[in-house]
Amino acid sequence: GDSVTQKQGQVTLSEDDFLFINCTYSTTTYPTLLWYVQYLGQGPQLLLKVTTANNKGISRGFEATYDKGTTSFHLQKASVQESDSAVYFCALVPNTNKVVFGTGTRLQVLP
Amino acid sequence: GGIITQTPKFLIGQEGQKLTLKCQQNFNHDTMYWYRQDSGKGLRLIYYSITENDLQKGDLSEGYDASREKKSSFSLTVTSAQKNEMAVFLCASSIRQQDTQYFGPGTRLLVL
């Protein structure tokens, strides 16, 4: 079936560090891929979205590239800030249309 | 823009109790969802509804009931709360299933 894997449960960085959050997926369809961000005490909100038509998404300094060859959709940011501390969810929307979420990666950015 | 409101924000229950969580959206979205969020397990779909009076089971529907009374509201019932249960229940809505989901702030459940 369709699945999303985020191997990193937690990532701790200092301000201005480079961020890389790993996400791989498995599906027999050509899905839309998404990253959601959940700040403390809030629900998840869409950070960026990539379809098969446009293989890269950029939002608020974050970027993710849809790599069909490696079935990956890693999230990157050149320089993180303390305000980026949150949980990040990778997700895919397969042809069945039921969104499949990864388990989330908690990012802690130290001042 | 729109907003999703979830009530109550915090819910403390007793083992075996029936508990109801409510969700309202003013996006005028057709599809609504209930997810359960446990630490380290991501978001698991309990129920969803693609239109008023429709109900579809998710992967975690056992132990829950849901009701889509009208387009703007979707309620979830925990039929028998389990002792020491602790989780966040998130409501979401989207225009259609394949579209971006917008989430509410969640209801935090603790069962004593």
Side-chain angles (χ1 to χ4, degrees), chain A:
Chain A
D2 304 308
S3 67
V4 174
T5 301
Q6 291 181 249
K7 290 185 178 177
Q8 302 153 291
Q10 169 131 359
V11 172
T12 302
L13 298 171
S14 298
E15 278 199 321
D16 298 323
D17 279 353
F18 172 72
L19 171 68
F20 181 91
I21 298 180
N22 184 290
C23 172
T24 57
Y25 65 91
S26 174
T27 180
T28 58
T29 68
Y30 294 98
T32 294
L33 297 171
L34 314 100
W35 278 100
Y36 277 85
V37 57
Q38 183 179 27
Y39 299 103
L40 190 64
Q42 299 180 23
Q45 55 184 270
L46 184 67
L47 177 59
L48 53 83
K49 175 179 175 179
V50 175
T51 66
T52 52
N54 59 318
N55 68 347
K56 189 169 191 171
I58 300 174
S59 173
R60 304 186 234 169
F62 292 88
E63 66 176 68
T65 301
Y66 189 156
D67 188 331
K68 298 181 189 64
T70 59
T71 61
S72 66
F73 190 52
H74 309 314
L75 183 69
Q76 302 180 62
K77 188 176 185 185
S79 175
V80 292
Q81 302 304 305
E82 194 177 355
S83 57
D84 293 325
S85 297
V87 180
Y88 293 82
F89 292 97
C90 184
L92 70 87
V93 187
N95 287 352
T96 57
N97 295 328
K98 263 170 50 175
V99 178
V100 178
F101 287 90
T103 51
T105 298
R106 182 176 299 278
L107 170 64
Q108 183 181 23
V109 180
L110 304 174

Side-chain angles (χ1 to χ4, degrees), chain B residues 79-97:
Chain B
T79 56
S80 179
Q82 301 298 303
K83 190 172 175 63
N84 297 324
E85 184 173 4
M86 188 166 69
V88 177
F89 291 85
L90 292 163
C91 177
S93 72
S94 63
I95 298 172
R96 297 163 302 174
Q97 276 185 263

